[in-house]
Each structure stands twice: as C-alpha cells, then as structure tokens.
Amino acid sequence: MYPFPETIRAFNEALRSGKSYLEVEEKEKFFRVEISKIEENLLLVQKKDISCEKKLEKIKKDIVSTLSHELRTPITVIKGNAEYLLHYSNAPDKEIVEEILEKTSRILEILSGLNKLISIEKNFREHNLKELILNSLKDLIEKAQKRGLKVEIE
C-alpha cells in the first residue's frame, strides 16, 4: 500500500497493541489510515480522507499567526513609549505607566503562548495504558516478588 517506514511501524504496532494509524499525503490530499487487529494475523485497514480537516487546521494556524503578528507590533510600540515615559519624563502618575508596562508585557506573553500553541504538532496516538504501566512497573514487581511479596494487578 504505502512502502514507507512509518507504514511498517504502524502495521507492527497494530499487530502488537491492537490498533494504530498513520497519516499520508497523496496528490495534494491527506488521508488517515487506521489499522485495527481483528484476529491474530488479520488486520482491518480503513482509509479516511482528512484533507478538509488539514486545510481547516492550516487556516486556523494562519489566522492565529497573522493576528499575533498584527497585535504584537502596536503593543511593542505602546510598551516602548511607556518605558520612555517611565524613565525619561516627570509624569506624576508613574504607577499608571508601570501598570501599562505590566499589562503590555502580559499581552506579549499571551501572544507568544499562542504562537507556541499553534506550532505544536498534534501527534497523539492511542496507547494501551495497562501495557505501558506494566512495563514501567516490571522491575518493581520483580523486586517485590523476590522479597516474597504477592503482587496482584487488576
């Protein structure tokens, strides 16, 4: 089907854990291929067109990125002017200028957080938590059993 290393990984993972998926691009279209283990050597492969979701995701990223950039420029100017007033003027209400600086810094932090949020790839996979936990506890279980302790896991 798709002779790529990620395809082989996905099939091996489905054989091992029961379920897996991968995303592929074909002629400017995106597909999600879900692989489910039905029996020992029988897998069900489903191919779903996710092109619309991918386009929508890109539009969202572009909107947030553009908004962030467009807001960052005037806020940086406001912050610069407030810093100037705080350090080089005889303004009687320096507390107000300090508050402006504090709030503009906070807005810039929020914008940076938004940019980080949209740049994070959503690369989540389903995992069998029981298997993950058992592998994590394997050494502890063996040590407990060597000391004569009975370990029961439900």
Side-chain angles (χ1 to χ4, degrees):
M1 190 167 81
Y2 300 104
F4 305 115
E6 49 280 4
T7 306
I8 295 167
R9 179 211 44 83
F11 273 91
N12 287 333
E13 187 176 323
L15 286 169
R16 191 178 70 257
S17 68
K19 200 169 200 173
S20 184
Y21 79 93
L22 70 142
E23 291 182 1
V24 292
E25 184 179 357
E26 274 181 15
K27 302 175 186 169
E28 299 181 20
K29 286 192 136 208
F30 293 91
F31 297 94
R32 178 182 175 102
V33 179
E34 294 181 4
I35 307 164
S36 303
K37 184 176 176 181
I38 297 176
E39 292 178 9
E40 186 57 36
N41 290 316
L42 182 63
L43 298 172
L44 172 66
V45 179
Q46 295 174 310
K47 184 178 172 183
K48 179 182 174 189
D49 187 345
I50 58 168
S51 301
C52 289
E53 288 101 336
K54 287 288 188 180
K55 285 177 187 172
L56 184 60
E57 191 176 301
K58 184 183 178 332
I59 290 168
K60 285 180 186 177
K61 283 182 178 183
D62 290 346
I63 289 170
V64 172
S65 179
T66 301
L67 248 170
S68 175
H69 175 73
E70 292 300 321
L71 288 172
R72 185 178 302 276
T73 304
I75 290 170
T76 303
V77 171
I78 292 168
K79 185 178 179 188
N81 289 338
E83 285 173 346
Y84 175 81
L85 287 174
L86 186 65
H87 297 294
Y88 300 108
S89 82
N90 295 328
D93 297 324
K94 292 209 178 215
E95 296 85 26
I96 294 172
V97 177
E98 287 173 346
E99 186 178 3
I100 291 169
L101 278 172
E102 182 183 314
K103 300 302 181 194
T104 55
S105 293
R106 180 69 185 121
I107 292 170
L108 290 171
E109 286 175 22
I110 291 169
L111 292 174
S112 293
L114 276 175
N115 282 333
K116 286 178 188 172
L117 185 66
I118 61 166
S119 67
I120 294 173
E121 288 282 327
K122 291 180 183 82
N123 194 12
F124 299 110
R125 274 193 233 145
E126 287 185 25
H127 287 283
N128 181 340
L129 289 180
K130 182 177 180 181
E131 182 181 316
L132 183 68
I133 292 168
L134 288 176
N135 285 336
S136 301
L137 296 174
K138 190 175 182 181
D139 291 338
L140 291 174
I141 292 170
E142 289 173 6
K143 287 179 184 178
Q145 289 173 339
K146 284 181 183 176
R147 293 185 180 198
L149 298 172
K150 184 178 177 184
V151 178
E152 290 184 18
I153 299 170
E154 289 186 32

